[in-house]
């Protein structure tokens, strides 16, 4: 495959209607967490260069409008649910290797969790950064997910129908380069 073909990008659809831009490095992608014998293993990242890595993930938490009003007014039965969710998201990002099998421990240099109340719920964005040999996408997605689950836990007494979805919005750094979800 020539260099131009390697650098061409292709669009892939996703379940939420977004269009993703990903590098087209080969016709058949290789699953890096499988050995040549098909067994799960931890990828050796020892020879990779240390680069600045950044990722941003989003969780959209949807709830009844009356529940969203409790969140916005700060009058939920368990108190400031947004503060609890923010701390949970940061803590979860830091503990990702304990939660996701085969995930490398990364020395995160920054984790932010932004929670934005909207009419039908809360939008959460978790951003993670590190200077390391492997990416921080899982840390961002775990942070956003646990912030969402914390909202559910703190609000389930008034609304058991709360739902959420999570998606990687962007990542930068590393051999595979940049990724950005196009919505």
């Amino acid at each position: 495959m020539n260099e131009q073909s390697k650098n061409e990008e292709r669009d892939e659809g996703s379940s939420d209607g977004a269009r993703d831009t990903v590098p087209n490095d080969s016709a058949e992608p290789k699953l890096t967490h499988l050995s040549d014998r098909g067994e799960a293993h931890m990828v050796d990242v020892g020879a990779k260069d240390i680069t600045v890595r950044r990722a941003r993930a989003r969780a959209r938490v949807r709830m009844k409008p009356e529940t969203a009003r409790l969140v916005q007014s700060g009058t939920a039965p368990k108190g400031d649910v947004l503060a609890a969710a923010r701390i949970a998201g940061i803590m979860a990002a830091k503990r990702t290797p304990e939660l996701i099998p085969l995930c490398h421990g990364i020395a995160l240099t920054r984790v932010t969790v932004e929670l934005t109340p909207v009419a039908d719920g809360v939008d959460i964005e978790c951003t993670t950064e590190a200077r390391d040999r492997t990416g921080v996408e899982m840390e961002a997605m775990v942070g956003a997910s646990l912030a969402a689950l914390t909202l559910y836990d703190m609000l389930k007494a008034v609304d058991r129908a709360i739902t959420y979805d999570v998606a990687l919005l962007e990542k930068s750094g590393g051999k595979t380069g940049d990724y950005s979800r196009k919505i």
Side-chain angles (χ1 to χ4, degrees), residues 13-20 58 60 165-167 181-183:
S14 69
S15 61
D16 67 354
R19 301 298 288 176
D20 303 335
R58 174 200 66 216
R60 289 195 163 152
D165 63 69
V166 66
R181 177 176 295 273
K182 296 186 188 219
I183 299 176

Side-chain angles (χ1 to χ4, degrees), residues 89-164:
I90 293 167
M91 289 175 62
K94 292 168 49 174
R95 299 188 78 137
T96 298
E98 296 172 35
L99 303 169
I100 304 292
L102 310 176
C103 194
H104 288 86
I106 294 176
L108 292 169
T109 57
R110 181 171 177 244
V111 177
T112 63
V113 178
E114 305 277 333
L115 296 105
T116 306
V118 294
D120 63 343
V122 178
D123 288 342
I124 301 167
E125 281 196 12
C126 181
T127 302
T128 53
E129 295 179 7
R131 290 186 48 80
D132 219 312
R133 288 180 165 85
T134 190
V136 293
E137 299 98 291
M138 292 310 303
E139 287 74 6
M141 292 181 69
V142 167
S145 294
L146 265 287
L149 287 171
T150 298
L151 286 177
Y152 178 88
D153 183 50
M154 297 192 75
L155 296 166
K156 68 184 179 228
V158 294
D159 187 354
R160 295 223 183 243
I162 295 170
T163 63
Y164 82 95

Side-chain angles (χ1 to χ4, degrees), residues 27-41:
E28 289 189 41
K30 183 177 186 312
L31 297 175
T32 59
H33 284 80
L34 293 179
S35 71
D36 291 337
R37 295 185 308 229
E39 299 166 339
H41 73 106

Side-chain angles (χ1 to χ4, degrees), residues 1-28:
M1 177 179 288
N2 66 33
E3 207 52 40
Q4 181 180 359
S5 295
K6 285 184 180 179
N7 293 325
E8 287 178 3
E9 295 180 340
R10 62 182 162 86
D11 287 332
E12 293 183 350
S14 69
S15 61
D16 67 354
R19 301 298 288 176
D20 303 335
T21 304
V22 296
N24 185 11
D25 290 334
S26 66
E28 289 189 41

